[in-house]
Amino acid sequence: MKIALALASLGLISATQALCPYAEQALKDPEFVKRHVEKRDPIEHQTLKAKRQSGPGNIPFTTFNENQEIDVTGQYAWKAPGPQDIRGPCPGLNALANHGYFPRIGVVSLVQAWTATEKVYGLAPNFGIPLSVYATLVDGDVVGKSWSIGGKPPQTLTSPLVGAGNGLSGSHNKYESDGSPARGDYYLENGEVSSLKIDRFKALYDLQKDAAIPNFDLATIVEHRKYTFELSKGTNPYFFHAPFSGTVANAAHTFIPALMSNHSAQFPNGILDKETLKAFFAIFEAPDGTLTYKPGWERIPDNWYRRPLGVVNAYSPVSFAQDLLQIAAAVPEAVSVGGNTGTVNSFAGANLGDITGGAYQTSDLVDPRKFVCYFYQITLAIVPDFLRSRALGSLLAGALDLLHTEIDPFVDPSCAKIANYNDDFAAQFPGAALNSP
């Protein structure tokens, strides 16, 4: 048995090293990731250090430690959002604000965001940092280095005159996307993308209706992804699946089992049962089975344990790339760039080679190593265009510097660079123009 576990561990380590350029350093030196991220802002990071479990002994989902339990008492006790508090389209982020892991107002700093998502959900820094940087630069406050989990923050005396951003709820086709697990499409909902749609949630919920032990695992979520993609394709003539936000839409699905499952002593591999799912999505069920949504009431359940941390166990771009293979097998179009062309069921894929100047092809999105390269490179390629569209003036140079300072260290030097990003492809998709600056 010990020999088998050792071999399994070595196999996982080898796979991780092949897919993540810094895995070998981190596996040999457990402090590597911590030192890497602390270089960015040593003063703030000294007060925001999180305990990490890392190293070659961490075999995914076979270890358990009591410190995986997330505190939902005292300063982290759940509180309903107040009238001035902002909530948005992501249930996991809303729950963090309701428990005080994010500021309860719903506006979070770049560093607070990735630190809390690692501490509470086990999202790896090499995933959480780029996502938080992207949110800050594309629809956040580039001066204060913060972003809103929902709509635009209210104007105050200290708010910047430019560069404040519209928040995640105002980031359609940039960050937020059509084809959400439980939110509606931008065009069909007249731009209101923060509210959960009961029919979409119920479609997911009913997938485990007759299960002896309900578990909304990856296989179940892949089935739901097929439903949400086909629903958008078949009902929204302006459905658009953009290079970055389309990737986020897929991640919004895989995050459900990856980050919301309860990794308790009884189920160290994780289980996402009905009660846990409803808590995270602010759903209440009546005795007759009727489901009700209470906007902004997302919560972390009592006695809930996150996944283990560390290079192997945390949910990283490598983890996501592997989950994406399962989505691609069930609904290949979901792992592409494209959209409907003005009528329903007219989905056409775009040529990713044309978009990226030949650096990446659509087939690369189902190659885990190439996908990880693409994730970082598409971020570096499209953010400058978004920044220029925000008319930042003298703030532009600092924003671009922040982008490269934060993301470049994660990029494998052998990855193909996107030297010529071409967004002309979007002209054939009318949905691409929705919510344009």
Side-chain angles (χ1 to χ4, degrees), residues 79-212:
K79 293 180 183 177
Q84 302 303 315
D85 293 336
I86 298 169
R87 298 297 181 264
C90 178
L93 301 184
N94 291 345
L96 289 175
N98 289 340
H99 284 277
Y101 285 101
F102 276 8
R104 293 182 186 270
I105 192 174
V107 179
V108 62
S109 79
L110 187 160
V111 173
Q112 285 175 317
W114 77 257
T115 305
T117 51
E118 181 192 23
K119 178 180 179 180
V120 177
Y121 295 131
L123 187 68
N126 64 350
F127 209 170
I129 290 173
L131 291 177
S132 188
V133 169
Y134 187 94
T136 299
L137 295 179
V138 171
D139 269 291
D141 176 356
V142 300
V143 177
K145 297 180 184 178
S146 64
W147 48 278
S148 164
I149 66 174
K152 187 171 185 175
Q155 190 76 20
T156 68
L157 292 176
T158 59
S159 298
L161 295 178
V162 294
N166 296 317
L168 293 191
S169 297
S171 67
H172 184 66
N173 285 341
K174 300 173 187 174
Y175 202 124
E176 178 275 327
S177 179
D178 294 331
S180 162
R183 266 61 183 176
D185 285 4
Y186 185 92
Y187 173 75
L188 298 178
E189 302 299 331
N190 297 312
E192 205 294 278
V193 295
S194 290
S195 297
L196 179 142
K197 299 299 167 186
I198 285 290
D199 57 343
R200 286 199 182 218
F201 179 85
K202 191 173 186 301
L204 170 60
Y205 195 66
D206 285 349
L207 291 177
Q208 292 293 298
K209 180 171 58 176
D210 299 322

Side-chain angles (χ1 to χ4, degrees), residues 132-377:
S132 188
V133 169
Y134 187 94
T136 299
L137 295 179
V138 171
D139 269 291
D141 176 356
V142 300
V143 177
K145 297 180 184 178
S146 64
W147 48 278
S148 164
I149 66 174
K152 187 171 185 175
Q155 190 76 20
T156 68
L157 292 176
T158 59
S159 298
L161 295 178
V162 294
N166 296 317
L168 293 191
S169 297
S171 67
H172 184 66
N173 285 341
K174 300 173 187 174
Y175 202 124
E176 178 275 327
S177 179
D178 294 331
S180 162
R183 266 61 183 176
D185 285 4
Y186 185 92
Y187 173 75
L188 298 178
E189 302 299 331
N190 297 312
E192 205 294 278
V193 295
S194 290
S195 297
L196 179 142
K197 299 299 167 186
I198 285 290
D199 57 343
R200 286 199 182 218
F201 179 85
K202 191 173 186 301
L204 170 60
Y205 195 66
D206 285 349
L207 291 177
Q208 292 293 298
K209 180 171 58 176
D210 299 322
I213 302 177
N215 183 16
F216 296 89
D217 57 9
L218 180 61
T220 303
I221 293 303
V222 167
E223 189 173 352
H224 186 59
R225 181 55 176 144
K226 185 173 183 179
Y227 163 80
T228 58
F229 195 89
E230 293 298 329
L231 179 66
S232 291
K233 194 168 70 170
T235 61
N236 180 5
Y238 294 100
F239 172 43
F240 183 54
H241 203 56
F244 185 89
S245 62
T247 297
V248 172
N250 285 325
H253 288 75
T254 67
F255 279 4
I256 294 172
L259 306 184
M260 295 180 180
S261 294
N262 189 359
H263 296 268
S264 64
Q266 183 181 5
F267 297 101
N269 292 322
I271 186 170
L272 182 51
D273 60 21
K274 290 182 177 181
E275 296 307 311
T276 301
L277 184 75
K278 288 186 293 186
F280 272 115
F281 279 86
I283 294 291
F284 296 82
E285 186 169 8
D288 65 356
T290 301
L291 300 176
T292 303
Y293 165 59
K294 298 194 76 169
W297 276 46
E298 293 86 351
R299 70 165 66 225
I300 300 169
D302 295 339
N303 303 310
W304 185 81
Y305 297 77
R306 57 148 171 78
R307 62 192 292 147
L309 300 182
V311 173
V312 175
N313 292 320
Y315 196 73
S316 68
V318 172
S319 312
F320 175 49
Q322 292 166 337
D323 289 349
L324 206 56
L325 294 176
Q326 306 303 313
I327 292 178
V331 49
E333 287 176 328
V335 188
S336 69
V337 175
N340 279 343
T341 56
T343 59
V344 298
N345 291 316
S346 60
F347 188 90
N351 187 319
L352 192 60
D354 291 343
I355 297 170
T356 62
Y360 295 93
Q361 305 297 327
T362 300
S363 59
D364 293 334
L365 303 183
V366 292
D367 178 321
R369 184 189 177 281
K370 289 183 179 179
F371 172 81
V372 173
C373 287
Y374 170 81
F375 170 70
Y376 293 124
Q377 293 294 341

